[in-house]
Amino acid sequence: MLLPIPWECDQVDQIRDAVVQVYDEFQQGIEPDACVARMPRAEEQGADGAAVLRSASSQGGRARHRGGAAFHAPGDWDALIAAFREHKLISGEIKPSTWHRVYRHHMNHVLGAVAVAAPPQNAKQLLEALARIWADKPGGRTRQIQIQSTAALLRWAVAERRLGEDWEPPQDLSVFVGRSRAAKAITTPLEVEHTLALVRAIPDARWRFAFQLMAAYGLRPEELQHLQIRQGRLWCTYEKVASRGKTRPRVLRMLPCDDWADGWRLEERFPTQELPPMQPGLGGGYVGHYLMNRPLWKELRREYEAKGEKLVPYSCRHGYAHRAHVICDLPPKVVAAAMGHSVQTHLAAYSRWCGDDVVDDAFAKAELRLGQGLRAQSSAA
């Protein structure tokens, strides 16, 4: 490929502008040969040839900077999303199963939003188009994930100079997520008596064992597929990737207050007891589907909802955390390590259950401990 400009010292400006033009148009998907073919020959340029090239180059640069025109076509958005997926996986931010389970669905909505007669021309228009998909569910979790994942795509594309600055999404996405008009039910810890009743009511031995594991060790449903015996103890090898980092394998510990689970002999049974088959990355869906078909689970859900609470598979895990703090008096740092997440995540998730009754109980226990300590010191003196 040769530029139609003499390789002379007095042509430096023209050569520079021509190279910039080729670069800009290549970023828009135009092959360099095609770009050069459209340039005027040296004999056609005349005295103002440099100005012609600078004008073409600046127009291409503005088009790219103004709205990322190269990605208005759905095919180009396909390539952009594929590159974004590769970045997320290579960087370790997410696992392939997370892309398949969460991002893929929302990226398909992005492709649908740009594959219209008048596609969005900037970040605001795209986010507004996606928000309209769930216009009847302001503040909903699915709508929130759609907006957040799309914003992440756009920020990455702008940072990589694949889209122009008009595609930079705002930091505050609340206007696109919306605000729910309904009061949000709080997912609630499962009470011990309900845990035991559900164990008795589950007819399938495989699912009963799975439920016992979740209740006794505070497991995420997905973690049922990542258990193994190491040196006679039950371990979870699941690595959850989140914004605060990746969880590490951990030994599973039953709470000192949960003597009701001693008779289950979970570690002893694990090598031979079969668990229900589940597809990797979809453990939560499998557990939720099974429980929703259990009559007692449906009945308990109605009871919890009547109190403004919400019963979900994670309620087993919530119950573990609640007992660890309220009954066992374990500090957040210890409980977070036992459950396989950061202290920040733990506090954000479980501080919501710290009502006045919990605070009063904690103060009463602290007063009792201090009183016993002072009496012991007095006796020693």
Side-chain angles (χ1 to χ4, degrees):
M1 178 190 70
L2 294 175
L3 294 174
I5 305 169
W7 192 254
E8 304 290 347
C9 291
D10 62 349
Q11 302 292 316
V12 170
D13 289 340
Q14 291 92 322
I15 293 171
R16 181 199 62 228
D17 291 338
V19 171
V20 171
Q21 179 181 344
V22 171
Y23 173 80
D24 282 338
E25 295 197 11
F26 179 72
Q27 292 295 308
Q28 299 177 40
I30 300 173
E31 291 297 322
D33 289 339
C35 176
V36 171
R38 295 205 309 273
M39 290 181 181
R41 303 294 99 188
E43 58 273 15
E44 299 172 354
Q45 291 180 20
D48 61 347
V52 172
L53 283 172
R54 275 197 295 272
S55 175
S57 175
S58 63
Q59 288 174 5
R62 283 196 300 271
R64 178 170 59 86
H65 187 75
R66 183 170 57 244
F71 294 104
H72 285 171
D76 294 326
W77 280 94
D78 273 323
L80 181 68
I81 290 172
F84 177 59
R85 175 184 181 275
E86 183 178 9
H87 158 73
K88 297 289 279 187
L89 297 180
I90 290 177
S91 66
E93 292 183 37
I94 64 171
K95 296 184 292 186
S97 60
T98 303
W99 179 273
H100 181 80
R101 189 178 74 257
V102 181
Y103 282 81
R104 180 175 59 97
H105 173 70
H106 295 293
M107 292 301 105
N108 284 338
H109 281 302
V110 173
L111 294 176
V114 299
V116 294
Q121 300 296 307
N122 52 50
K124 180 176 181 291
Q125 292 178 9
L126 176 57
L127 293 172
E128 287 174 342
L130 293 169
R132 282 194 289 271
I133 297 175
W134 291 282
D136 60 334
K137 297 180 180 178
R141 180 59 176 160
T142 303
R143 177 166 159 177
Q144 180 186 42
I145 295 175
Q146 174 71 74
I147 298 301
Q148 290 175 340
S149 59
T150 304
L153 165 70
L154 297 179
R155 289 193 184 103
W156 170 82
V158 172
E160 293 292 315
R161 298 179 64 83
R162 293 170 178 264
L163 290 178
E165 289 184 357
D166 282 357
W167 290 97
E168 178 75 32
Q171 289 298 318
D172 184 6
L173 300 173
S174 59
V175 67
F176 305 107
V177 174
R179 185 172 61 183
S180 178
R181 293 182 293 270
K184 185 177 181 181
I186 298 177
T187 55
T188 310
L190 183 62
E191 297 178 16
V192 171
E193 62 176 303
H194 295 155
T195 297
L196 299 176
L198 283 163
V199 168
R200 292 191 295 268
I202 295 176
D204 189 317
R206 299 171 304 173
W207 280 106
R208 189 185 314 119
F209 187 55
F211 186 81
Q212 288 172 322
L213 288 168
M214 290 194 303
Y217 295 116
L219 297 179
R220 304 175 178 93
E222 182 63 26
E223 291 178 332
L224 291 168
Q225 304 177 75
H226 300 268
L227 304 179
Q228 60 180 239
I229 295 291
R230 294 183 181 179
Q231 298 177 338
R233 301 193 69 178
L234 190 58
W235 280 70
C236 176
T237 61
Y238 180 69
E239 295 184 338
K240 181 178 176 62
V241 180
S243 59
R244 295 187 176 97
K246 182 188 294 186
T247 63
R248 295 181 298 177
R250 68 188 191 278
V251 64
L252 299 182
R253 296 175 173 88
M254 210 176 279
L255 293 173
C257 62
D258 290 351
D259 53 354
W260 43 265
D262 290 341
W264 292 349
R265 301 179 294 107
L266 299 177
E267 285 186 346
E268 178 186 337
R269 292 165 55 202
F270 181 77
T272 57
Q273 175 62 60
E274 185 180 0
L275 282 166
M278 286 182 275
Q279 188 175 344
L282 301 177
Y286 278 83
V287 172
H289 179 75
Y290 180 81
L291 290 175
M292 283 300 295
N293 287 310
R294 306 271 63 79
L296 179 57
W297 181 264
K298 293 179 182 179
E299 179 183 333
L300 290 174
R301 276 176 61 90
R302 289 192 292 269
E303 288 184 17
Y304 280 64
E305 287 172 2
K307 296 182 292 184
E309 301 172 347
K310 187 176 181 181
L311 190 62
V312 295
Y314 257 68
S315 291
C316 289
R317 184 168 170 84
H318 298 337
Y320 182 96
H322 193 254
R323 297 192 304 276
H325 290 303
V326 176
I327 301 177
C328 298
D329 286 329
L330 295 174
K333 185 175 181 180
V334 171
V335 183
M339 298 183 69
H341 52 213
S342 68
V343 177
Q344 296 94 322
T345 297
H346 185 80
L347 292 174
Y350 298 109
S351 61
R352 69 185 68 176
W353 300 311
C354 193
D356 287 339
D357 57 337
V358 175
V359 175
D360 289 341
D361 183 65
F363 270 71
K365 289 178 179 177
E367 185 178 359
L368 178 62
R369 287 196 302 270
L370 289 173
Q372 290 173 342
L374 291 173
R375 285 193 295 273
Q377 290 177 6
S378 299
S379 300

